[in-house]
Amino acid sequence: AQPLLDSLSTPGSATARGVNATIAEIKAQSSACAGKLFGNGTKARPDAGLLTGNGFSFTAATCTGSAACKGGNAGALLGNGGNGFNGGAGGNAGWYGGIAGNGGNAVVVNCAEASCLGGNGGRAGRYGRGGQGGEGAPGFAGGAGGIGGLIGGAGGNGGNGGDATAVGPAGGRGGAGGAAGLSARAGIGGDGGAGGEGGAGGAGAAAGARAAGGGGGGGATGAPKLYAKVTSSECVVSFE
C-alpha cells in the first residue's frame, strides 16, 4: 500500500494502478492482522479497517442523548465514510473509491456544545464529491461542506444555519462550501472544480429578534496539500 499512498495525486484509475491486486496481496500475507486492516466500522469502533472498509454511520438508534457522534472514516484505500449524527462530522472516504460521509444535523432541542452546530462533511478520495454539511440548531451555524476529490470532484454543500428565535440569537451562518479538487494532467495544471455552495443563512424571527444569519461562502478551488505515510510493525499502521 505504501507506493499507492505516496502517489495520491498521480492520475490513473484504481484498476490501472493495481489497487485491488495490492489489497488481495496484503490480505494473503497478513491474515494475522486482518481484523485491524480490513472490515467495517462499528458503534464501538466507528472507523473502518486501516486499509479497507466502510465507516460506521450513526442514527437516532445508535447516537442517543445530546452528544455529537462523528461518522467513522473509511479504510485508507477503499470504503465509504460514515454519516455523523447530532452535529457530528461525516467520515472521510477511501482514497481509491468510496463516498464521503455527511455531517449530522444539530440537535434542535437542548443541544450542548458541538451538538448545536451542524457537522462538517467528510473528505472525498482522489475523485468524488465532499460530504454535505449538517444543519445548525436555532441560532447556530451549519457545518462546512467536505473537501472534494484530490484530483477531481466538487466540494460538498455547506449546511443551513439555524433560524433565529423570538428570544434567541441571530440566525446561524450557513456552512461554507467545501474546497473542490484539482483536475491535473502531467505538465499542465488543470483548473480547479467549482466549490460547493454555501448553506443558506437562518431566517430572522418576528419582532424583537436580531438579524438573519448570512449565507455561507462558496468553497475555494484547488487541491489541498495532503500527505500520507504508512509504516508497519506488528500490525501497527500509522498515517501522517
Side-chain angles (χ1 to χ4, degrees):
Q2 179 70 58
L4 295 175
L5 292 166
D6 280 346
S7 58
L8 293 174
S9 61
T10 302
S13 70
T15 301
R17 303 191 72 201
V19 174
N20 290 331
T22 298
I23 292 171
E25 182 178 353
I26 293 172
K27 283 185 175 180
Q29 298 181 12
S30 307
S31 58
C33 303
K36 191 163 188 177
L37 298 176
F38 313 102
N40 297 328
T42 64
K43 178 183 177 180
R45 192 197 72 179
D47 290 342
L50 292 170
L51 295 182
T52 68
N54 299 324
F56 186 78
S57 288
F58 284 92
T59 64
T62 53
C63 182
T64 58
S66 60
C69 297
K70 180 184 180 299
N73 291 325
L77 296 181
L78 294 174
N80 300 325
N83 296 327
F85 201 79
N86 282 357
N92 297 330
W95 284 112
Y96 285 90
I99 299 171
N102 295 325
N105 293 337
V107 175
V108 177
V109 179
N110 297 326
C111 64
E113 298 180 359
S115 67
C116 296
L117 305 173
N120 296 334
R123 167 196 53 71
R126 280 160 44 89
Y127 296 94
R129 188 178 184 86
Q132 169 81 32
E135 296 185 0
F140 289 89
I147 298 172
L150 177 63
I151 296 179
N157 292 337
N160 294 334
D163 294 343
T165 62
V167 294
R173 182 174 178 80
L182 178 67
S183 178
R185 293 172 292 175
I188 302 176
D191 295 331
E197 297 176 359
R210 299 179 186 175
T221 58
K225 294 181 179 179
L226 300 172
Y227 303 92
K229 182 179 180 181
V230 179
T231 58
S232 180
S233 175
E234 297 181 355
C235 305
V236 175
V237 183
S238 62
F239 297 89
E240 297 178 358

